[in-house]
């Protein structure tokens, strides 16, 4: 998340997760998603609705470091060339949300 107030809200959720013994532990970062290192990640969520093509491409390159068998979930927009990069698209759906179809 790049918005500090939204990031702070997500930290509250992560703390509640940890307090309940949630596993795996959550690691949340505030900053540019395209420069976030994903080495060893097992689950990545990218709410990509407003992401540029360039940002999605940078995330796709970083995703090569996700642990084999790991998950990368995008919302609204898929990773560019996902299949060519070795990713399996498990499911794709469109949903109606407050701003339109996603």
């Amino acid at each position: 998340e790049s918005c500090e107030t939204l990031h702070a809200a997500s930290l509250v959720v992560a703390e509640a997760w940890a307090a309940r013994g949630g596993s795996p532990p959550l690691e949340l970062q505030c900053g540019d998603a395209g420069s976030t290192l994903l080495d060893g990640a097992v689950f990545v969520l990218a709410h990509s609705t407003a992401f540029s093509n360039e940002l999605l491409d940078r995330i796709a390159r970083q995703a090569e470091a996700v642990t084999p068998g790991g998950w990368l979930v995008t919302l609204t927009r898929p990773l560019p060339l996902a299949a060519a990069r070795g990713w399996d698209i498990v499911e794709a759906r469109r949903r109606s949300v407050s701003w339109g179809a996603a």
Side-chain angles (χ1 to χ4, degrees), residues 41-83:
V42 294
F43 183 87
V44 177
L45 173 65
H47 198 305
S48 55
T49 301
F51 288 4
S52 68
N53 291 339
E54 291 172 340
L55 178 55
L56 279 171
D57 193 54
R58 289 189 349 229
I59 292 170
R61 286 194 304 271
Q62 293 289 11
E64 293 172 8
V66 170
T67 300
W71 289 77
L72 191 143
V73 176
T74 60
L75 303 176
T76 308
R77 301 186 64 203
L79 287 181
L81 304 172

